[in-house]
Amino acid sequence: DTGVSQNPRHKITKRGQNVTFRCDPISEHNRLYWYRQTLGQGPEFLTYFQNEAQLEKSRLLSDRFSAERPKGSFSTLEIQRTEQGDSAMYLCAISTGPSYEQYFGPGTRLTVT
Amino acid sequence: AQSVAQPEDQVNVAEGNPLTVKCTYSVSGNPYLFWYVQYPNRGLQFLLKYITGDNLVKGSYGFEAEFNKSQTSFHLKKPSALVSDSALYFCAVRVSNSGNTPLVFGKGTRLSVIA
């Protein structure tokens, strides 16, 4: 148990629909990250929060993607008007500082048909 | 820009033999280096990290890794492989004084330990 839960674990949606994923750290960690992992690749950074502030966003994060972390606890990642290219595993990770390891949740696997 | 290379997509080793999974990195500055393991349908699990100090770091499940600054490498090793070590292994790097930059991962190496 890494102390991070993600819901749902699997999501199948039709192209054009909106989807929302949730990440719940069990304990308080000030840093929260979202990554995307496609088959045969390592995780790629999407966005990062320190407490409730979204401090960095990857160029991978198009205008259709939005993330929030109200109150600096759980976080949500929303994808609007999904495309088949959005099919991937979406991973949430937490850490307490730059020299500390990140702990990953089990991920949400998105399939866009 | 930071980058990580894992030159082998697949590594096969017999149970009981030593294993090595290779990783080289490129950063402009001092690196923080990490190894993670991923089992099927599960998230990444932290194995070990190099921040500073001794170049040989020991981690979970008997794994260790050696930081080599001159060769910009951080190879993962284990003296005696187990079938249960079969999984996908990822090396990751970030720059130590970079503030908020995230981890940059390699593409992963699939380790297969054969009984």
Side-chain angles (χ1 to χ4, degrees), chain A residues 2 9 31 33 35 37 40-43 45 48 50 55-56 89 91 98-106 109, chain B residues 32 34 36 38 41-46 49 51 88 90 94-96 99-108:
Chain A
T2 61
R9 294 292 306 275
R31 295 168 183 244
Y33 303 79
Y35 291 84
Q37 184 180 19
Q41 301 294 322
F45 169 72
Y48 156 68
Q50 186 159 333
L55 297 185
E56 190 172 345
M89 175 77 86
L91 297 166
S99 66
Y100 291 88
E101 56 273 23
Q102 294 180 15
Y103 290 99
F104 284 79
R109 182 170 295 282
Chain B
Y32 288 162
F34 302 81
Y36 285 83
Q38 188 173 35
N41 298 317
R42 296 180 65 178
L44 280 74
Q45 296 179 29
F46 168 73
K49 66 181 179 183
I51 302 300
L88 195 54
F90 292 97
R94 67 185 304 273
V95 180
S96 62
N100 298 323
T101 57
L103 289 175
V104 173
F105 285 84
K107 291 186 175 182

